[in-house]
Amino acid sequence: MSYRYTLQSYLGLKSRFRCPNCHKTYKFSRYIDTETNEYVHKHVGRCNREIKCGYHYTPKQYFEDHNLKVKPSSSINVPNKKEKAISTIHKTILIKSLKKDEPNNFLKYLNKIFDIETVNKLKTTYYIGASKKWTGATVFWQVDIQEKIRSGKIILYNVNNGKRVKKPYNHITWVHSAMRITDYNLKQCFYGEHLLKTSSCPIAIVESEKTAIIASVFLPEFTWIASGSLSNLNYEKTKILKGRQVILFPDLGGYDTWKEKIPFLCPEATYQISDLLERKATPEQRELGLDIADYLIALDLDKYANN
């Protein structure tokens, strides 16, 4: 189904704006009219800080607030435009990133939690590469079930605590952006989606790549994949889950959002959602936005395995 008004796709920082509610820059996506390719209004859109801000002003609300009528879609018959092919990255680039001697802060952090054999296995299983974009940066390669490489998300982590480096700016970008590939048509898939091809285990979905990787060690009875963010769980992505059993593990504060999304995901999968964090979290942990990986790390691995 196509809609006349839709949130603008990510085209780099030029397509993200200052949120009118929390006033954070590069966090606000505006709605566009797909027939005119113009913004509905500078304040009509959604902040991607779903938990800390939550601003979402839809075109419908805007039109109702201003007593405006939506113009009907054009009735002129236009030949269907051929859908633009999904862009991909050549596998040699992925392989090169896995073999690089570049420092990788995330892998160093994993070495503080797990033994070297486990970390090496995680690196090859989840395609955890290194990037020269920033010293110590990590690449999380998005490889779909057909082994096509959609792109790689580059993130810089603090080597000591495993947290993302967000100052003096948020250190996150894409491989195709770092390579300056123009006219790249990115269509994201689940991180770890390639694992579904050979695994029949129940599927566990979390928000971040880091969480999926760490949780897979503690709870190997699931195949762990990541949506990439709270807002990136959607119908299109979940079409790949037909016939599978799925359990959702949102970060603290995201339970209600994902629970409300379940009826709108691909109906040919069976969904459950975990409220473990909502039940166990302290006020301090809620403030920090704990995820399931944080909770598991806090446990003693040997004791956990024996329970």
Side-chain angles (χ1 to χ4, degrees):
M1 180 184 294
S2 60
Y3 297 93
R4 174 159 181 178
Y5 302 100
T6 183
L7 287 167
Q8 185 178 24
S9 300
Y10 183 73
L11 302 171
L13 292 182
K14 65 181 181 180
S15 63
R16 294 296 179 264
F17 304 90
R18 182 185 180 93
C19 175
N21 185 57
C22 67
H23 306 295
K24 294 289 185 179
T25 54
Y26 305 126
K27 299 295 182 182
F28 187 64
S29 306
R30 290 177 179 169
Y31 277 97
I32 60 169
D33 183 332
T34 58
E35 291 196 0
T36 64
N37 206 33
E38 294 179 348
Y39 295 120
V40 177
H41 185 272
K42 65 180 181 179
H43 289 165
V44 177
R46 182 179 68 190
C47 181
N48 65 16
R49 302 171 77 236
E50 290 96 342
I51 296 173
K52 294 186 177 180
C53 177
Y55 180 90
H56 189 189
Y57 191 31
T58 66
K60 180 180 179 181
Q61 291 171 319
Y62 174 76
F63 294 132
E64 289 177 350
D65 291 345
H66 294 81
N67 295 317
L68 299 174
K69 290 185 178 180
V70 184
K71 292 181 180 180
S73 297
S74 173
S75 58
I76 301 174
N77 292 322
V78 192
N80 290 329
K81 291 184 179 179
K82 187 177 180 181
E83 188 173 342
K84 189 177 179 182
I86 299 170
S87 300
T88 58
I89 300 288
H90 198 278
K91 192 171 184 177
T92 55
I93 298 173
L94 181 154
I95 294 172
K96 186 177 179 181
S97 78
L98 298 181
K99 293 182 177 179
K100 274 184 178 178
D101 293 328
E102 300 289 334
N104 190 323
N105 288 359
F106 179 63
L107 290 179
K108 288 181 180 179
Y109 171 70
L110 289 181
N111 277 316
K112 296 176 183 290
I113 308 170
F114 307 119
D115 59 80
I116 187 66
E117 183 179 349
T118 298
V119 174
N120 286 337
K121 184 179 179 181
L122 290 171
K123 177 181 177 180
T124 55
T125 300
Y126 277 97
Y127 297 134
I128 308 171
S131 170
K132 292 191 289 187
K133 176 65 178 178
W134 303 292
T135 302
T138 300
V139 185
F140 297 114
W141 291 100
Q142 283 193 11
V143 183
D144 65 26
I145 202 166
Q146 297 177 332
E147 295 289 333
K148 294 179 180 179
I149 305 165
R150 300 292 183 91
S151 191
K153 188 186 291 186
I154 304 174
I155 302 178
L156 181 64
Y157 287 90
N158 182 303
V159 70
N160 296 313
N161 60 22
K163 302 296 183 183
R164 282 169 43 192
V165 176
K166 298 182 179 181
K167 293 182 179 180
Y169 59 91
N170 199 359
H171 289 66
I172 181 169
T173 189
W174 291 93
V175 168
H176 61 275
S177 297
M179 293 177 65
R180 302 178 185 274
I181 301 176
T182 57
D183 200 29
Y184 195 91
N185 183 28
L186 172 64
K187 186 174 182 180
Q188 294 189 54
C189 63
F190 284 114
Y191 176 69
E193 183 178 301
H194 62 284
L195 301 175
L196 304 182
K197 189 174 184 179
T198 55
S199 172
S200 59
C201 297
I203 299 164
I205 302 179
V206 293
E207 293 181 36
S208 79
E209 297 83 1
K210 168 190 165 184
T211 304
I213 291 164
I214 293 173
S216 72
V217 179
F218 289 91
L219 296 169
E221 61 267 32
F222 295 102
T223 299
W224 291 84
I225 60 177
S227 62
S229 73
L230 184 68
S231 61
N232 269 352
L233 181 67
N234 54 49
Y235 173 84
E236 187 65 28
K237 277 187 177 178
T238 55
K239 287 195 293 187
I240 201 70
L241 306 178
K242 291 179 180 179
R244 305 295 292 264
Q245 289 183 309
V246 181
I247 184 166
L248 309 177
F249 288 91
D251 292 357
L252 263 176
Y255 178 84
D256 289 339
T257 299
W258 272 14
K259 187 176 181 180
E260 291 171 1
K261 282 191 175 190
I262 290 176
F264 303 98
L265 304 180
C266 177
E268 296 175 69
T270 303
Y271 301 96
Q272 293 177 284
I273 184 166
S274 171
D275 63 352
L276 173 68
L277 296 181
E278 301 296 332
R279 290 187 287 105
K280 297 286 187 180
T282 64
E284 292 76 15
Q285 290 170 333
R286 292 183 187 281
E287 181 66 24
L288 293 172
L290 190 83
D291 60 39
I292 190 67
D294 295 319
Y295 180 78
L296 294 171
I297 290 170
L299 300 175
D300 182 89
L301 181 57
D302 292 331
K303 288 181 180 179
Y304 183 86
N306 293 327
N307 284 339

